[in-house]
Amino acid sequence: MPKKARTPEERSADQGSVDVLQYACDLNCSTTFDRADDMLPCPIGEKGQCCKHCAMGPCRLTKDGQVGVCGATIDTVVARNFARMVAAGSSAHSDHGRGLALTLLEVAEGTATDYAIRDPEKLKEMAYYLDVPVEDRSLNEIAYDVAVKALAEFGKPRGELAYTRRAPAKRQKIWHDLKITPRNIDREVVEMMHRTHMGNDQDAVHILDQAMRTGLADGWGGSMLGTDISDVLFGTPGPVQSEVGLGVLSPDEVNIVLHGHEPTLSEMVVVAASDPELIEYAKSKGAKGIALSGLCCTANEIIMRQGIPTAGNFLEQELAIMTGAVESMVVDVQCIMQGLVGVAKQFHTEVITTSPKAKITGATHIEFEEGHALEIAKGIVRRAIDRFPLRGKTFIPKDRHTTIPGFSHEYIDYALGGLYRGSFRPLNDAIMAGRIRGVVANIGCTNARVQYESMHRYLTEQFIKNDVLVVETGCASVASEKQGFMTPEAALSMAGPGLREVCETVGMSPVLHLGSCVDNSRILTILSQMASEGGLGDDISDIPAVGMAPEWMSEKALSIATYCVASGAYVLMGIHNPVAGSEFVTEHISKGWEASVGGKLEFVTDVEEILRRSLAHIDAKRAALNLPAYDPSKWGHSGDARMNELLELPLEERIKSIYGAAQPAD
Ligand code: MSK
């Protein structure tokens, strides 16, 4: 029986999206939410109990003690299914990182002349970890060797991933002892697929150990390289003021929405859209100009470096087109719904695929090549302008919100200590004193099966009220941006007394935007630096911190969760438990992994329970470090004069007063 269709309010916690969903109902447009209501999840696949790894099956193992045609137990089948999802997620992030390494190589070789090295210091930092000499060498020479060494990380025949040396020494030893230090990125993914092929690894614990190694190849390999090279090529992010919400779509300009993940294309479209000739061309077609906005992780990439507004998260891709105001939706890889093409057909929007790895039937394909990047980007912008006269009736919701994203770990380091004494010491001290109770990394997707953004919002609000500093990436961060959580005002009006004092002193928001999905690697770096700074133990697993993805949907989220756990973190995921079919596997990734690597993975659907377990874990870690118990009554008695003064100012002036003239990076 199909489920009853939910109302727009039951589908989304975002008012702008609710308005567009209502408009979609009036227009009789079908969306991902209708499809979710029509199609119940398969109850066997949902729990990981279906094995389709050979043609003797598929085998559906639903009863206790049941085995597949080959004799595979339910524990083996569930572990294999989970491990394959981790491998898929790891491959997606890592292929993204490889693409950037290839772009860096082209820049060094002089064949991608539209790009440049924007952060030479970051390049030298990469060189250090990849054993590339820097003395008396040109940036291009260093970049060439860094790119070659980075590419070797994907397939070098011997050794271990170079970036694993960035982890605390104790953590590296745990990986060595357990034999899960990744050797090279591709090898771990390939081995995971090999091991889970019919007739190979048939021991759930052994399979799950390799799942951790495959995840680590993502976090400390593909993703970390992706983040670093993006910073080298496009600049390391710093705070920048911008806006978020479907209301950022312009009623009278050509709207181009950039969607996907890799910044190589989107950064070039940003350059192309500011070309005076193209702006004039847009005016010749009756538009006032060209308005860019982002969706999903491309949104994170371009808002944190260029200040380009974010139209929405993963679940708002169809809704953006339904406003009738989008001339082009330009996509590359990951999290792009095939349903876009069907929706676009009902409007004047052209969906343009650009990656050689991702075509969609019915979409226009314009293949992107780094060697002709700007020329191709200009062609894409021109096509969008040509569609402006075809625009019909529009419905753009009013909702748009001010936000300040762009907190790279380098910026946090700088913000805490200044240029000459930048360090994580003040953050560690604040946690040790109890001003900050702990840290939560709230990350991941939005999911059409729940009222999206509601869990992100509730949890984030509760954490900051409880003096927990929140860092965010991916689509989770869009939810907080819409709530104004990423403005200093949120610290003044919503944060608990201790966290507010810290935010006020440092001039930061209580929720920090750290970037896109690959930028979860920044969280690993921050945790490692906090561990090395001293006072919070000597490993990531000692820090009073929790990771979570309460509305996850992507295999990438499982890879992130797995590498965070293997790095020592407690990770809570919502939605459903994909290993629910095996009590043994469910127990092993929690208590078993905690015993072997100090981190644990749990799937919890009740938002109150996620909150309770997170705070309990943070408090338990504080107690284990002999830190004072969390006591909010001790704080909130300083800095009030400055706070009251700021509260008198209108929001824009208040932000300027705290951040100075923070401007989009040029
Ligand atoms: S885009 S993986 S829906 S966070 Fe990175 Fe958002 Fe999840 Fe895609």
Side-chain angles (χ1 to χ4, degrees):
M1 282 285 289
K3 282 169 65 184
K4 187 176 153 291
R6 291 168 294 166
T7 64
E9 288 80 5
E10 287 167 331
R11 292 172 169 182
S12 173
D14 172 58
Q15 189 53 50
S17 301
V18 167
D19 293 346
V20 179
L21 280 167
Q22 187 54 56
Y23 181 62
C25 293
D26 301 345
L27 292 180
N28 233 348
C29 263
S30 169
T31 65
T32 183
F33 305 97
D34 299 302
R35 299 189 289 272
D37 289 353
D38 280 349
M39 188 183 293
L40 290 170
C42 162
I44 298 163
E46 186 185 34
K47 295 183 191 138
Q49 295 166 301
C50 174
C51 180
K52 54 183 181 66
H53 293 195
C54 85
M56 297 191 291
C59 298
R60 302 184 306 167
L61 310 185
T62 53
K63 297 189 195 102
D64 261 0
Q66 205 176 3
V67 294
V69 175
C70 70
T73 65
I74 196 149
D75 298 339
T76 297
V77 166
V78 168
R80 284 198 302 219
N81 284 332
F82 176 82
R84 283 202 166 193
M85 291 173 86
V86 172
S90 179
S91 71
H93 280 153
S94 299
D95 217 29
H96 171 156
R98 188 200 322 263
L100 284 155
L102 287 166
T103 305
L104 182 64
L105 185 66
E106 285 204 49
V107 171
E109 289 176 332
T111 54
T113 50
D114 296 325
Y115 300 94
I117 292 160
R118 300 280 295 276
D119 189 339
E121 287 313 308
K122 189 106 183 195
L123 179 69
K124 288 176 189 163
E125 196 190 321
M126 285 189 75
Y128 169 78
Y129 284 110
L130 296 171
D131 292 325
V132 170
V134 297
E135 285 298 311
D136 302 322
R137 304 188 75 202
S138 72
L139 274 186
N140 260 11
E141 286 169 335
I142 300 170
Y144 180 85
D145 284 355
V146 164
V148 168
K149 284 279 183 92
L151 287 165
E153 291 297 289
F154 289 84
K156 62 188 178 189
R158 292 212 168 79
E160 295 170 344
L161 277 194
Y163 272 8
T164 53
R165 285 189 286 146
R166 291 167 70 160
K170 198 168 165 187
R171 182 64 23 199
Q172 293 179 46
K173 183 169 181 324
I174 289 170
W175 295 337
H176 280 139
D177 290 350
L178 210 57
K179 296 195 172 75
I180 59 168
T181 307
R183 295 153 292 184
N184 72 55
I185 298 160
D186 290 352
R187 180 171 180 179
E188 303 315 346
V189 175
V190 168
E191 186 169 315
M192 192 76 266
M193 296 306 285
H194 178 195
R195 284 206 205 183
T196 52
H197 181 275
M198 192 270 153
N200 279 333
D201 204 354
Q202 286 156 100
D203 177 88
V205 172
H206 199 233
I207 293 165
L208 293 167
D209 280 352
Q210 177 60 17
M212 283 200 281
R213 182 148 60 170
T214 310
L216 289 170
D218 169 359
W220 298 87
S223 279
M224 206 170 267
L225 287 167
T227 294
D228 278 4
I229 301 173
S230 295
D231 288 353
V232 167
L233 290 175
F234 308 115
T236 300
V240 53
Q241 187 177 327
S242 190
E243 286 187 299
V244 62
L246 286 168
V248 305
L249 295 170
S250 172
D252 43 25
E253 293 167 287
V254 175
N255 283 305
I256 302 173
V257 180
L258 300 160
H259 173 20
H261 280 78
E262 296 178 352
T264 29
L265 163 75
S266 51
E267 287 278 341
M268 269 313 124
V269 177
V270 173
V271 176
S274 58
D275 182 327
E277 219 175 277
L278 284 171
I279 294 170
E280 275 315 304
Y281 185 56
K283 288 181 181 165
S284 76
K285 297 283 180 180
K288 284 200 173 149
I290 305 165
L292 296 183
S293 56
L295 273 169
C296 271
C297 277
T298 292
N300 288 311
E301 297 282 356
I302 55 179
I303 197 174
M304 69 183 174
R305 293 200 179 87
Q306 309 294 353
I308 302 294
T310 291
N313 66 46
F314 166 67
L315 285 178
E316 285 152 355
Q317 52 190 290
E318 291 173 326
L319 306 188
I321 293 179
M322 281 174 189
T323 62
V326 175
E327 276 62 47
S328 284
M329 184 165 287
V330 184
V331 305
D332 53 20
V333 289
Q334 301 168 23
C335 305
I336 298 146
M337 292 191 192
Q338 187 161 3
L340 282 182
V341 172
V343 175
K345 274 195 190 127
Q346 299 177 59
F347 299 87
H348 74 305
T349 311
E350 183 175 37
V351 177
I352 302 177
T353 54
T354 57
S355 167
K357 296 169 199 162
K359 284 189 177 182
I360 304 177
T361 308
T364 303
H365 188 72
I366 301 176
E367 200 143 304
F368 188 70
E369 292 165 40
E370 281 72 7
H372 306 279
L374 189 55
E375 185 191 329
I376 293 169
K378 281 184 179 176
I380 287 171
V381 172
R382 190 171 280 273
R383 281 182 82 93
I385 294 170
D386 285 337
R387 293 189 93 77
F388 184 78
L390 306 176
R391 194 188 277 191
K393 189 174 167 235
T394 62
F395 177 82
I396 301 175
K398 295 205 174 13
D399 264 35
R400 52 196 295 168
H401 312 270
T402 299
T403 186
I404 302 180
F407 283 81
S408 55
H409 53 266
E410 286 87 347
Y411 187 82
I412 296 174
D413 192 73
Y414 162 72
L416 291 172
L419 196 56
Y420 296 107
R421 53 187 171 84
S423 86
F424 278 79
R425 189 72 256 154
L427 177 60
N428 281 25
D429 285 345
I431 293 173
M432 288 164 69
R435 274 194 175 82
I436 294 180
R437 187 174 181 175
V439 180
V440 158
N442 178 48
I443 65 152
C445 325
T446 46
N447 190 311
R449 298 253 170 233
V450 295
Q451 186 201 31
Y452 80 84
E453 288 193 349
S454 60
M455 295 172 89
H456 286 305
R457 273 184 196 190
Y458 178 75
L459 286 167
T460 306
E461 190 172 341
Q462 291 306 314
F463 285 129
I464 62 177
K465 270 187 189 159
N466 279 280
D467 292 298
V468 173
L469 177 68
V470 180
V471 296
E472 295 193 327
T473 61
C475 291
S477 63
V478 179
S480 283
E481 288 176 313
K482 287 178 187 166
Q483 293 307 297
F485 293 161
M486 293 187 184
T487 61
E489 186 194 42
L492 301 173
S493 61
M494 298 177 59
L499 177 61
R500 192 183 70 208
E501 279 188 5
V502 175
C503 290
E504 191 185 357
T505 309
V506 177
M508 67 182 195
S509 329
V511 182
L512 302 179
H513 175 274
L514 287 181
S516 63
C517 297
V518 290
D519 293 331
N520 286 306
S521 64
R522 295 189 203 274
I523 297 173
L524 297 179
T525 305
I526 289 170
L527 291 170
S528 299
Q529 291 187 359
M530 286 170 75
S532 337
E533 189 61 48
L536 294 176
D538 52 8
D539 192 6
I540 293 171
S541 55
D542 297 330
I543 298 170
V546 177
M548 63 190 56
E551 299 183 25
W552 73 283
M553 65 86 203
S554 152
E555 290 166 318
K556 289 179 290 172
L558 286 187
S559 178
I560 296 165
T562 303
Y563 73 63
C564 286
V565 171
S567 302
Y570 176 25
V571 177
L572 284 149
M573 310 277 282
I575 304 299
H576 74 256
N577 176 4
V579 297
S582 163
E583 263 177 51
F584 174 80
V585 173
T586 301
E587 187 89 347
H588 183 72
I589 61 174
S590 175
K591 292 192 181 134
W593 275 357
E594 190 173 33
S596 61
V597 295
K600 57 182 173 177
L601 177 56
E602 290 173 357
F603 292 89
V604 178
T605 50
D606 177 27
V607 76
E608 292 296 343
E609 185 59 14
I610 293 177
L611 179 65
R612 191 194 66 72
R613 288 193 198 186
S614 303
L615 293 176
H617 179 82
I618 285 171
D619 290 344
K621 289 289 173 187
R622 293 188 64 83
L625 289 165
N626 286 322
L627 299 179
Y630 170 64
D631 177 7
S633 68
K634 284 165 73 179
W635 316 112
H637 312 297
S638 65
D640 292 342
R642 165 85 171 134
M643 183 184 77
N644 290 336
E645 195 183 295
L646 286 166
L647 279 172
E648 293 299 316
L649 300 172
L651 177 61
E652 297 277 322
E653 279 180 49
R654 203 178 305 155
I655 289 168
K656 272 193 197 139
S657 162
I658 293 170
Y659 281 100
Q663 292 296 327
D666 58 25

